[in-house]
Amino acid sequence: MRHGKKDNHLGRTSSHRSAMLSNMASSLILHKRISTTLAKAKELRKFVEPLITKSKADNTHSRRTVFSYLQNKESVKVLFDEISEKITNRPGGYTRIIKMENRLGDNAQMCIIELVDYNEALLKEVAAPAKAKTRRSKKSADSKPAADAATSTDETAGE
């Protein structure tokens, strides 16, 4: 029975799984976006988001704790120096999973997992407000205000 076993073992031993998640988390932190299978991305999200939350408190203990998971000095430095500054006001949800087409070889569901605050394409859309679109209609623009003015004078004349 699987009572209380919520982690996907991904067909690997415990040591292989922890090493793989550590390497994937380091790659995600350094490159801000990686492509992987959907199952691995969902497990990686559960692995890396607590580490990013831990990086908000920049002290020696949290650095050592994060290093014990990642085993990569460079990714710990990037996490605490760059990423923690961008996510200070965000209460969680630091990663985004975008589904892609299935892989050709084995038809596995592929996806991109990325850090939310580092997607330049989406940040540009949010920063630049969209133009107000105008719609062309068969009625002329002058006839509508004139009709509104006529109804407003009729209402005031009746009072």
Side-chain angles (χ1 to χ4, degrees):
M1 286 186 266
R2 284 188 44 88
H3 295 304
K5 297 180 182 178
K6 61 182 178 179
D7 292 335
N8 187 346
H9 294 277
L10 302 171
R12 289 164 170 80
T13 62
S14 176
S15 59
H16 185 184
R17 190 170 53 252
S18 64
M20 181 193 66
L21 289 173
S22 173
N23 290 333
M24 288 176 67
S26 294
S27 296
L28 178 65
I29 290 168
L30 292 176
H31 301 292
K32 314 301 189 266
R33 170 189 291 187
I34 59 173
S35 176
T36 184
T37 62
L38 186 62
K40 287 180 189 174
K42 288 180 178 180
E43 283 301 309
L44 179 61
R45 175 191 283 176
K46 289 194 281 188
F47 183 84
V48 79
E49 290 209 1
L51 299 180
I52 296 174
T53 302
K54 195 93 152 137
S55 73
K56 287 184 177 182
D58 188 7
N59 53 33
T60 307
H61 178 67
S62 59
R63 280 183 182 262
R64 286 179 178 168
T65 305
V66 170
F67 180 75
S68 71
Y69 284 95
L70 294 180
Q71 298 294 319
N72 187 346
K73 287 182 183 179
E74 197 173 321
S75 61
V76 171
K77 184 177 181 186
V78 170
L79 176 63
F80 278 88
D81 294 344
E82 291 179 24
I83 296 173
S84 65
E85 292 175 5
K86 275 201 164 188
I87 54 108
T88 52
N89 297 329
R90 184 176 290 276
Y94 311 113
T95 57
R96 174 185 298 125
I97 295 177
I98 303 169
K99 293 182 182 179
M100 299 182 348
E101 295 178 355
N102 291 356
R103 189 163 49 198
L104 289 178
D106 59 353
N107 207 30
Q109 290 180 327
M110 296 299 290
C111 68
I112 294 174
I113 183 168
E114 64 184 6
L115 296 176
V116 171
D117 294 326
Y118 285 92
N119 190 339
E120 290 82 17
L122 288 177
L123 291 176
K124 286 179 185 175
E125 288 179 9
V126 172
K131 278 186 176 179
K133 293 185 178 180
T134 58
R135 192 181 77 173
R136 296 182 185 180
S137 64
K138 293 182 180 179
K139 296 180 182 178
S140 65
D142 296 333
S143 65
K144 189 174 184 180
D148 291 340
T151 57
S152 64
T153 55
D154 293 339
E155 292 171 359
T156 55
E159 291 178 11

